[in-house]
Amino acid sequence: MRVNKDRRDWRIGSAADVGWIAGHTTAGVSVTTAIPPIFDAYATTYQADDVTAAAYERALVENLVTHTPDQPWWLAYLDTGAHDVVFPDAPRVFLYWDWPYVLVEAGPEAALTWRAGGHMRHAHGALPDLFFPADRSWLVSALWDDTWTCVGGPEQLIHTLERDPVANARRVRPDEDALPPGLTRE
């Protein structure tokens, strides 16, 4: 299926496009609750109080772009009923605990601009709730009730995120509690 936005047709994803995620995460409090345990390294990241949503999200996406060959990205918007899913009439794919997502093939600029009205992590944020490149070399996922975001990917990507103070990332082991220091669970 295709949908139109910005005078262009965009491909809507199916269960097959997220089959590598669905059923491959583990219940609990570790990063592998959001990210399958298939990557070399993992981190959690969140917007610091002294950083705007736009600056934080741009830093995260720019770091991802730096470590990703030119290719489409899959953007997934969780249908909470309270946040913009960009394409409200599009079919849903189901992940984690049968949560409905709108999955669309686009790219980094769309990840930063398509969503209006914020998301669970920030009232002015635009990022999708889950996104990854076509080659599946990394995955970024924020679960429904978390105020932070989990990342899995190559060692060098995680190292880059750790070094960027605006990205505010902290490396975690796959079996470690993903909760960043200073934050609380809802």
Side-chain angles (χ1 to χ4, degrees):
M1 175 179 180
R2 294 194 169 270
V3 293
N4 192 281
K5 181 171 181 65
D6 303 327
R7 290 179 275 152
R8 182 171 167 199
D9 284 337
W10 303 94
R11 187 173 141 215
I12 295 296
S14 69
D17 298 306
V18 291
W20 67 282
I21 303 168
H24 299 281
T25 56
T26 57
V29 296
S30 72
V31 69
T32 58
T33 302
I35 309 287
I38 59 172
F39 294 103
D40 293 335
Y42 300 87
T44 57
T45 177
Y46 68 96
Q47 179 189 334
D49 291 338
D50 61 342
V51 175
T52 67
Y56 164 73
E57 291 180 352
R58 182 151 301 279
L60 179 60
V61 168
E62 286 175 358
N63 284 312
L64 293 165
V65 167
T66 299
H67 290 274
T68 309
D70 189 31
Q71 62 186 292
W73 289 15
W74 284 104
L75 313 179
Y77 300 92
L78 177 58
D79 188 355
T80 65
H83 300 97
D84 181 19
V85 294
V86 182
F87 299 102
D89 298 325
R92 296 341 187 219
V93 297
F94 296 87
L95 291 169
Y96 306 112
W97 295 270
D98 262 350
W99 297 344
Y101 288 81
V102 172
L103 180 67
V104 61
E105 187 180 50
E109 192 56 36
L112 288 168
T113 59
W114 274 1
R115 179 179 256 167
H119 48 63
M120 297 162 294
R121 294 158 314 285
H122 196 282
H124 301 291
L127 283 182
D129 301 297
L130 180 144
F131 52 107
F132 58 92
D135 69 5
R136 303 176 185 169
S137 57
W138 50 259
L139 172 64
V140 174
S141 180
L143 297 180
W144 191 315
D145 52 357
D146 291 345
T147 56
W148 63 91
T149 299
C150 296
V151 182
E155 180 69 39
Q156 188 58 41
L157 168 63
I158 300 305
H159 183 66
T160 298
L161 291 171
E162 284 181 295
R163 288 192 329 243
D164 185 338
V166 179
N168 195 31
R170 170 185 75 101
R171 179 182 301 268
V172 294
R173 294 182 317 276
D175 60 346
E176 183 179 354
D177 189 337
L179 179 67
L183 296 184
T184 57
R185 285 195 169 78
E186 299 279 324

